[in-house]
Amino acid sequence: MLKDMLNNIQKKSLKERFLLVLGILFFLIYLVLGLMIMFWEKLPLNMEPKYRYAFGGLLIVYSAIRFLRLINAKE
């Protein structure tokens, strides 16, 4: 499976590879932002802890959805 994915990446055009890297970058941004909101206490957000955890969890779920869509892209 990993070998097939690497072959698929090598067959992509320059534009498609750039969009793949951009997709991975935004996946990481959303994941880190969600973790920061959840666990960084000195982050200047005036939210109750339960809302911070909910918002951070929502961002992490969104990043997982973006990652799954990125992996399953067959184009």
Side-chain angles (χ1 to χ4, degrees):
M1 181 175 136
L2 185 60
K3 191 174 185 180
D4 293 335
M5 286 175 54
L6 289 176
N7 277 338
N8 192 18
I9 291 171
Q10 290 175 350
K11 291 179 186 176
K12 290 182 184 279
S13 68
L14 184 61
K15 177 184 169 184
E16 291 171 333
R17 278 188 249 160
F18 173 72
L19 291 175
L20 177 68
V21 169
L22 200 60
I24 292 170
L25 176 69
F26 273 93
F27 156 70
L28 291 173
I29 287 172
Y30 282 119
L31 180 67
V32 169
L33 184 61
L35 290 172
M36 281 174 51
I37 288 173
M38 288 175 76
F39 299 115
W40 192 14
E41 295 297 325
K42 295 189 182 201
L43 189 69
L45 287 176
N46 295 330
M47 298 172 87
E48 292 181 31
K50 64 180 177 182
Y51 295 124
R52 288 175 69 116
Y53 290 128
F55 186 52
L58 184 69
L59 284 174
I60 291 171
V61 168
Y62 180 66
S63 71
I65 291 170
R66 286 186 63 100
F67 184 69
L68 290 174
R69 288 182 63 199
L70 189 66
I71 288 177
N72 291 332
K74 298 287 184 189
E75 296 178 10

